Amino acid sequence: MSGPETQDDAPHVPVLLRPLLKAVAPVSGVWLDGTFGAGGYSRGLLAAGAERVIGVDRDPAVFEMAEAWRGPYGDRLVLVEGTFSELDRYAAEIAPGGLDGVVLDLGVSSMQLDQAERGFSFMKDGPLDMRMSQSGPSAADIVNEADEGVLADILYHYGEERASRRIARAIVAARATAPFATTRALVAVIERCLPRPKPGQSHPATRAFQALRIAVNDEFGQLAAGLEAAERALKPGGKLAVVTFHSLEDRVVKRFFQARSGRTPAGSRYAPVQAVEVAAFTPVTKKPIGPDEQELAENPRSRSALLRVAIRTEAPAGRADRAALGLPALPAATGRHR
């Protein structure tokens, strides 16, 4: 998977693969790669000693590409089309004894960014789509139909875009003349709303495109459900490794590991002390692991990537308090259209 988009035509290099394999060593048994993509993590796990890897992805196109190289792995690599929020169901069918590890590499894959026809990239003109599963409402549906307030909420809460209201107002004004159909049309409106970036700053459309992609694919809902599913699927001693690409994702993963490792925040007059549950995880990484200089040179898209790892205990699986995970919530109803 990939982090923020850049103008570099970086190869499909798995982000933080070396530190991930070091943090989860020794690798053995059955692992699940919940964001299969180009298969980089799956191949890395198999090479490191995994007996079997279950590769899960909701994008059917990735499995077509995998046919070119998966042959030598035989039944050591099992591919499943679906969302990682249901990974415990796939694991129960394929590895009823439980998983030895789960890897989640969040965000959009570099393959998807490189395919203009998928509509994820603000650097390449294409249909305004952004659907990972290639089904359901697209980014164009949201941009052309959502109320101005809903658009502003999506841009602010999912993209941390400070100019969210200005951009939403400009989108609504522009679509009154002609509906948005391409990424280039949307980028042009956003660029008119924001100052030209200084050297080293990200493209003006970065945050807006991130926000729309998250909304289209329900990425935060999927993340919370996927972390809970991993807790249910992992056997005692199993390892959960999660790679994030922006602060909103990392905050959710950090708080999940804190809550499920029995480290609840101290109470205050605004938030009473919560009952401490038996720890379901033991954190391996106290602080997230980022890319080193070698990784940054090999893969510029890794610059914002962070890795967190935890080990499953023998405690029964529970359910995280989603309100405490810091999931971005939209004040306006996202289903409300004009």
Side-chain angles (χ1 to χ4, degrees):
M1 305 296 281
S2 168
E5 188 172 357
T6 72
Q7 296 188 51
D8 302 287
D9 290 327
H12 300 140
V13 179
V15 172
L16 300 181
L17 178 60
R18 285 190 301 270
L20 187 151
L21 292 177
K22 180 179 179 181
V24 302
V27 176
S28 62
V30 182
W31 282 67
L32 186 144
D33 180 356
T35 44
F36 181 73
Y41 284 95
S42 292
R43 283 182 276 188
L45 290 166
L46 289 166
E51 297 171 14
R52 204 176 196 191
V53 172
I54 304 167
V56 178
D57 206 295
R58 56 175 154 175
D59 185 350
V62 305
F63 301 121
E64 297 174 8
M65 296 181 184
E67 289 303 317
W69 58 262
R70 64 170 297 196
Y73 293 104
D75 60 4
R76 294 182 65 207
L77 178 61
V78 180
L79 302 183
V80 178
E81 183 179 336
T83 59
F84 62 70
S85 60
E86 297 185 281
L87 68 84
D88 56 326
R89 181 166 65 84
Y90 312 138
E93 296 172 356
I94 300 170
L99 296 173
D100 294 276
V102 172
V103 174
L104 300 177
D105 175 21
L106 307 178
V108 61
S109 77
S110 51
M111 290 190 310
Q112 291 166 333
L113 283 174
D114 292 341
Q115 296 170 338
E117 67 272 16
R118 301 300 300 276
F120 288 102
S121 175
F122 50 76
M123 301 301 301
K124 305 174 188 292
D125 191 30
L128 189 57
D129 195 321
M130 301 192 192
R131 296 172 297 175
M132 292 181 183
S133 66
Q134 301 187 36
S135 63
S138 67
D141 293 326
I142 293 177
V143 168
N144 289 320
E145 299 176 16
D147 287 348
E148 181 179 323
V150 173
L151 284 172
D153 286 341
I154 288 173
L155 298 176
Y156 182 78
H157 291 281
Y158 290 166
E160 299 182 299
E161 174 55 72
R162 295 180 180 179
S164 58
R165 296 194 180 282
R166 187 188 318 152
I167 294 172
R169 189 161 52 247
I171 288 173
V172 170
R175 75 188 187 192
T177 302
F180 287 89
T182 66
T183 54
R184 180 174 294 170
L186 179 59
V187 168
V189 170
I190 296 171
E191 287 179 332
R192 290 197 295 270
C193 294
L194 298 174
R196 184 184 298 273
K198 298 178 182 178
Q201 290 184 332
S202 59
H203 189 280
T206 301
R207 294 180 182 276
F209 269 60
Q210 170 188 300
L212 287 169
R213 190 202 76 221
I214 288 172
V216 167
N217 298 289
D218 184 29
E219 292 183 26
F220 284 110
Q222 287 289 314
L223 175 55
L227 294 171
E228 293 172 344
E231 181 176 327
R232 294 190 295 269
L234 286 165
K235 63 174 63 170
K239 298 154 188 173
L240 173 58
V242 187
V243 177
T244 62
F245 290 94
H246 56 77
S247 60
L248 296 175
E249 290 175 339
D250 182 61
R251 180 181 66 190
V252 173
V253 177
K254 175 184 177 180
R255 291 187 179 183
F256 175 83
F257 280 157
Q258 286 178 335
R260 303 307 298 146
S261 63
R263 296 185 294 130
T264 55
S268 68
R269 60 176 177 162
Y270 302 108
V273 176
Q274 299 177 5
V276 178
E277 298 185 31
V278 178
F281 284 97
T282 301
V284 173
T285 52
K286 292 184 179 180
K287 293 184 178 180
I289 299 172
D292 57 20
E293 292 184 5
Q294 180 183 350
E295 175 119 23
L296 288 170
E298 293 173 349
N299 189 358
R301 287 171 173 164
S302 71
R303 69 186 184 279
S304 61
L306 294 175
L307 165 68
R308 293 184 186 271
V309 181
I311 299 176
R312 186 73 170 87
T313 70
E314 296 183 353
R319 182 179 175 85
D321 179 0
R322 296 198 179 188
L325 292 183
L327 296 171
L330 302 184
T334 56
R336 181 164 51 91
H337 292 170
R338 291 175 62 86

